[in-house]
């Protein structure tokens, strides 16, 4: 006797909304690809206005990710392991920028780092440093928005990591820092990598906080998303080309991460 | 290698844990001595090791190494990294992302030894434990016995004053266990510091220890050399471990009135509260009341029958209740089944009698 595979009928009430949902996610991207002037893509890409924005975007996103790594991994460790009072409150605070509209983040940054801001006035008075409407401001805005992605990913991994190895390291004479560097961090390396990629992708796509806090000065603060927005009014075709570039980068990031996951599973 | 001076571990461990568990144990381990804590699961053996390693702070008492205090609550606590301890954990806890050599070198690197010197020392230790060929491998490629030796090398590479081993053989399968046990015994003999080992397996404990400390419910119930403990058990737990019937009683004249009822006559003259111990194989069974030389005989009822290798172990209820080992032929001959009524007999010369210590409650004991 052979077993028969009987296809179960999918309820219509589930199937229809499911397909509509799929369409909502896929159709806009397909539309973008359909509307892309493929024959003129290379000449447009080679034109002067794309490269400064792309270069600035890559630089700022990478710098912001670097800041997030240096500050975010220790913060994740603090939230996951250290015996600090009010830890659940801290954890909640860290995740606020995840759900906060980026524009609000930009306004908040202006209030703090603006020339009359809480911290900005001293930065200006003591060091002559002003962050708003500068490339440094772009980096700060991107770090503000993207860091929670890294912290949340790394903190989850640290909480799941086996503390028994850290005990073993301690009995072998390792200091807290040495244990973290040689035992804890390597054990959460996959999560740090995944968090870094997510963080970088989020920083690359940042728009709201950037335009609010850093403004829109070509060559200085006009990143790719801002350039897309600008171009949409003056030169829609350029906007499409820039969008395709961003889409390509995003898909490449996603593919890279999938690769990583597959390798981990193997 | 591994000579670590003559420092004695002196510990008066008191540790209360939420949930009502209480550890209250005094331990002294001299340099070169191997002390094994033996006890059932949950007796507090691992907690003892963790307290000495500094992974579980005491709530009372004191841990000192000669004149140096490691833990004297509430005023002094030396963190694990500043104690001269080497720990071999039950699951070994080799760092999975490092090679075997890096694992063994870890303690030296952590203490500031430079990379080359640390690697050289690690290789020397890997030679000692016979793992040089595996130095470049990740721990997951090692067998259980190899992983244990790597963990031992890692613990010894920092030349600790105290070596702590938590169930070092428990993770091994039966086929490799005897060989690894013999190797471990050899390495422990060469180690010059104090060694404290934890086990719930009597064979491991007996073969690896200079001195046994039996722990039950967080307290010491008996200690002594393996031979002393094996021949003169003082609790039902130890008696079961070493396979003896243990009966408590009070000696009057030449006979002993047993705590659980009944009376036995040992060959040795004794007086006062005593323990009586004899192997289950010394119990002889008769279908009817025996007549002759055996003065110790009493009626029993079979309550349990289990196969143990080539012999059959019988649970015999009576005054006293005892275990008996008989051959399968005897089971057939006497038509033994639960409920069968028999006569049990033990020769006086088979019974070992020794005084119970004050407060030990020899009168309270019963059969295992």
């Amino acid at each position: 006797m052979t077993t028969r595979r009987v296809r179960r009928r999918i309820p219509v009430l589930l199937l229809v909304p499911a397909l509509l949902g799929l369409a909502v996610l896929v159709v806009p991207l397909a539309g973008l690809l359909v509307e892309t002037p493929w024959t003129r893509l290379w000449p447009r890409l080679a034109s002067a206005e794309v490269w400064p924005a792309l270069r600035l975007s890559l630089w700022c996103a990478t710098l912001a990710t670097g800041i997030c790594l240096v500050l975010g991994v220790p913060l994740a460790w603090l939230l996951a392991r250290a015996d600090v009072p009010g830890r659940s409150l801290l954890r909640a605070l860290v995740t606020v920028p995840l759900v906060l509209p980026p524009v609000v983040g930009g306004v908040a940054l202006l209030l703090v780092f603006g020339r009359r801001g809480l911290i900005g006035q001293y930065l200006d008075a003591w060091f002559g440093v002003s962050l708003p409407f500068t490339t440094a401001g772009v980096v700060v805005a991107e770090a503000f928005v993207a860091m929670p992605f890294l912290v949340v990913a790394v903190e989850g991994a640290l909480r799941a990591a086996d503390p028994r190895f850290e005990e073993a390291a301690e009995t072998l004479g390792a200091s807290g820092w040495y244990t973290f560097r040689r035992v804890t961090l390597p054990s959460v390396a996959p999560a740090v990598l995944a968090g870094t990629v997510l963080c970088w992708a989020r920083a690359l796509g940042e728009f709201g906080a950037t335009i609010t806090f850093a403004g829109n000065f070509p060559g200085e603060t006009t990143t790719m998303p801002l350039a897309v927005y600008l171009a949409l009014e003056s030169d829609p075709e350029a906007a499409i080309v820039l969008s395709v570039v961003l889409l390509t980068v995003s898909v490449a990031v996603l593919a890279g991460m999938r690769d990583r996951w597959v390798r981990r599973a193997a | 290698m591994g000579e670590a001076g003559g420092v004695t571990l002196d510990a008066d461990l008191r540790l209360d844990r939420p949930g009502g568990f209480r550890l209250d144990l005094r331990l002294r381990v001299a340099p070169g001595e191997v002390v094994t804590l033996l006890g059932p699961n949950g007796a507090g053996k691992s907690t003892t090791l963790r307290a000495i390693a500094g992974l579980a702070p005491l709530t009372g008492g004191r841990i000192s190494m000669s004149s140096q205090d490691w833990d004297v609550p509430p005023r002094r606590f030396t963190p694990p990294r500043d104690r001269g301890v080497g720990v071999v954990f039950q699951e070994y806890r080799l760092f999975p992302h490092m090679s075997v050599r890096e694992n063994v070198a870890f303690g030296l690197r952590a203490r500031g030894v430079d990379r080359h010197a640390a690697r050289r020392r690690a290789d020397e230790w890997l030679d000692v434990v016979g793992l040089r060929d595996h130095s470049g491998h990740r721990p997951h490629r090692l067998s259980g016995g190899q992983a244990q030796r790597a963990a031992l090398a890692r613990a010894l590479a920092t030349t600790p004053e105290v070596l702590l081993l938590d169930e070092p053989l428990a993770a091994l399968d039966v086929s490799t266990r005897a060989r690894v046990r013999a190797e471990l015994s050899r390495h422990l003999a060469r180690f010059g510091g104090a060694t404290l080992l934890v086990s719930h397996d009597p064979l491991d404990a007996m073969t690896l220890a200079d001195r046994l400390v039996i722990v039950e419910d967080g307290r010491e119930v008996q200690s002594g050399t393996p031979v002393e403990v094996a021949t003169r058990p003082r609790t039902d737990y130890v008696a079961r471990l070493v396979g003896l019937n243990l009966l408590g009683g009070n000696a009057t004249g030449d006979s002993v009135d047993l705590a659980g009822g009944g009376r036995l006559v040992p060959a040795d003259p004794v007086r006062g509260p005593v323990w009586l111990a004899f192997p289950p194989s010394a119990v002889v069974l008769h279908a009817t009341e025996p007549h002759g030389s055996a003065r110790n005989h009493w009626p029993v009822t079979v309550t349990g029958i289990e196969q143990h290798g080539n012999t059959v172990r019988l649970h015999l209820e009576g005054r006293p209740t005892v275990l008996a080992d008989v051959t399968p032929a005897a089971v057939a001959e006497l038509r033994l089944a639960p409920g069968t009524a028999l006569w049990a007999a033990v020769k006086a010369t088979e019974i070992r009698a020794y005084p119970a210590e004050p407060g030990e409650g020899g009168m309270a004991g019963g059969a295992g």
Side-chain angles (χ1 to χ4, degrees), chain A residues 164-165 167 172 178 182, chain B residues 50 91 93-94 97 109:
Chain A
R164 292 177 307 171
F165 290 112
E167 278 188 357
L172 288 164
Y178 194 77
R182 297 251 357 240
Chain B
R50 291 178 62 78
E91 344 70 83
R93 304 192 190 179
L94 294 168
H97 57 280
R109 296 281 293 130

Side-chain angles (χ1 to χ4, degrees), chain A residues 85-162:
Chain A
R87 188 157 65 167
S88 49
L89 180 69
L90 286 181
R91 199 174 279 144
L93 283 176
V94 164
T95 46
V96 166
L98 272 183
V99 290
L100 191 75
V103 178
V104 178
V107 171
L109 285 171
L110 262 184
L111 291 177
V112 173
F113 291 113
R115 202 159 282 193
R116 303 250 171 108
L118 280 173
I119 297 172
Q121 54 180 318
Y122 299 109
L123 283 180
D124 191 29
W126 295 348
F127 308 107
V129 172
S130 178
L131 287 177
F133 313 112
T134 63
T135 307
V138 175
V139 175
V140 169
E142 290 183 351
F144 173 81
V145 173
M147 190 160 2
F149 286 84
L150 183 81
V151 174
V152 167
V154 176
E155 195 222 338
L158 280 173
R159 280 206 281 171
D162 194 340

Side-chain angles (χ1 to χ4, degrees), chain A residues 23-65:
Chain A
V24 165
L25 294 176
V26 173
V27 167
L29 297 180
L32 179 63
L33 294 179
V34 167
E35 290 296 314
T36 303
W38 293 106
T39 48
R40 277 166 303 174
L41 189 65
W42 279 118
R44 297 292 316 225
L45 270 179
S47 78
E49 78 243 54
V50 175
W51 290 112
L54 183 61
R55 199 164 48 230
L56 185 72
S57 271
L58 294 177
W59 255 115
C60 289
T62 306
L63 264 176
T65 305

Side-chain angles (χ1 to χ4, degrees), chain B residues 51-77:
Chain B
I52 293 170
L55 297 171
L58 294 182
T59 48
R62 163 193 293 256
I63 301 171
S64 343
M65 276 303 283
S66 289
S67 58
Q68 199 187 355
D69 284 334
W70 279 356
D71 195 351
V72 188
R75 57 182 178 82
R76 185 163 176 84
F77 180 78

Side-chain angles (χ1 to χ4, degrees), chain B:
Chain B
M1 204 177 278
E3 278 302 325
V7 198
T8 298
L9 172 72
D10 197 351
D12 177 12
L13 304 158
R14 267 174 258 150
L15 204 155
D16 287 309
R17 268 204 311 237
F21 176 81
R22 173 167 216 161
L23 182 70
D24 188 352
L25 194 63
R26 269 203 68 98
L27 280 174
R28 262 181 81 88
V29 190
E33 190 184 24
V34 179
V35 170
T36 296
L37 294 182
L38 177 64
N41 288 327
K45 307 185 302 287
S46 293
T47 306
T48 302
L49 284 199
R50 291 178 62 78
I52 293 170
L55 297 171
L58 294 182
T59 48
R62 163 193 293 256
I63 301 171
S64 343
M65 276 303 283
S66 289
S67 58
Q68 199 187 355
D69 284 334
W70 279 356
D71 195 351
V72 188
R75 57 182 178 82
R76 185 163 176 84
F77 180 78
T78 307
R81 65 170 179 273
D82 296 327
R83 302 185 183 194
V85 294
V87 186
V88 175
F89 293 94
Q90 184 173 354
E91 344 70 83
Y92 311 137
R93 304 192 190 179
L94 294 168
F95 305 124
H97 57 280
M98 294 180 202
S99 69
V100 173
R101 180 195 283 124
E102 284 175 306
N103 262 282
V104 176
F106 183 91
L108 297 167
R109 296 281 293 130
R111 285 156 204 256
V113 176
D114 77 74
R115 188 188 304 268
H116 290 289
R119 285 198 165 181
R120 209 170 46 241
R121 294 258 294 278
D123 281 343
E124 284 166 16
W125 276 106
L126 289 171
D127 271 335
V128 170
V129 298
L131 282 178
R132 188 62 179 271
D133 295 342
H134 300 272
S135 61
H137 292 171
R138 292 288 163 95
H140 69 87
R141 289 186 54 188
L142 300 179
S143 70
Q146 289 169 340
Q148 192 244 43
R149 283 183 280 155
L152 183 67
R154 183 176 72 171
L156 289 175
T158 56
T159 56
E161 293 167 330
V162 180
L163 181 63
L164 305 171
L165 302 105
D166 190 2
E167 304 272 5
L169 300 161
L172 303 175
D173 53 53
V174 185
S175 56
T176 55
R177 200 156 167 159
R179 188 172 47 76
V180 178
R181 188 192 297 123
E183 281 170 8
L184 180 61
S185 174
R186 194 162 49 81
H187 293 307
L188 293 185
R190 288 171 59 156
F191 175 61
T195 303
L196 185 63
L197 189 147
V198 149
S199 178
H200 71 272
D201 182 285
L203 189 55
D204 294 345
M206 298 278 170
T207 50
L208 291 170
D210 297 325
R211 190 154 55 85
L212 281 176
V213 175
I214 315 290
V215 185
E216 285 178 68
D217 294 326
R219 306 169 159 274
E220 174 187 320
V221 292
Q222 185 171 359
S223 72
T225 66
V227 174
E228 278 166 13
V229 172
T231 54
R232 301 184 157 206
R234 292 183 180 279
T235 73
D236 289 336
Y237 167 73
V238 182
R240 264 200 308 279
L241 283 183
V242 300
L244 291 176
N245 284 303
L246 180 68
L247 303 167
N250 203 26
T252 49
D254 58 354
S255 71
V256 176
D257 291 316
L258 300 174
R263 172 179 293 195
L264 287 176
V265 180
D268 313 318
V270 280
R271 184 163 290 279
V274 291
W275 290 112
L276 302 179
F278 52 92
S281 58
V283 179
V284 181
L285 297 177
H286 301 274
T288 55
E289 183 168 5
H291 301 282
S293 63
R295 278 191 292 169
N296 293 317
H297 62 265
W298 68 100
V300 292
T301 307
V302 177
T303 55
I305 301 181
E306 296 161 19
Q307 183 84 32
H308 270 251
N310 294 326
T311 64
V312 176
R313 173 154 292 184
L314 303 175
H315 295 253
L316 302 173
E317 203 171 283
R319 287 155 70 87
T321 291
V322 292
L323 299 173
D325 283 349
V326 297
T327 61
V331 174
E333 196 182 314
L334 292 166
R335 297 178 173 278
L336 296 181
T340 307
L342 294 163
W343 286 82
V346 183
K347 279 185 187 167
T349 51
E350 297 271 13
I351 300 173
R352 196 177 300 117
Y354 44 96
E357 277 164 16
E360 200 173 62
M363 291 299 293

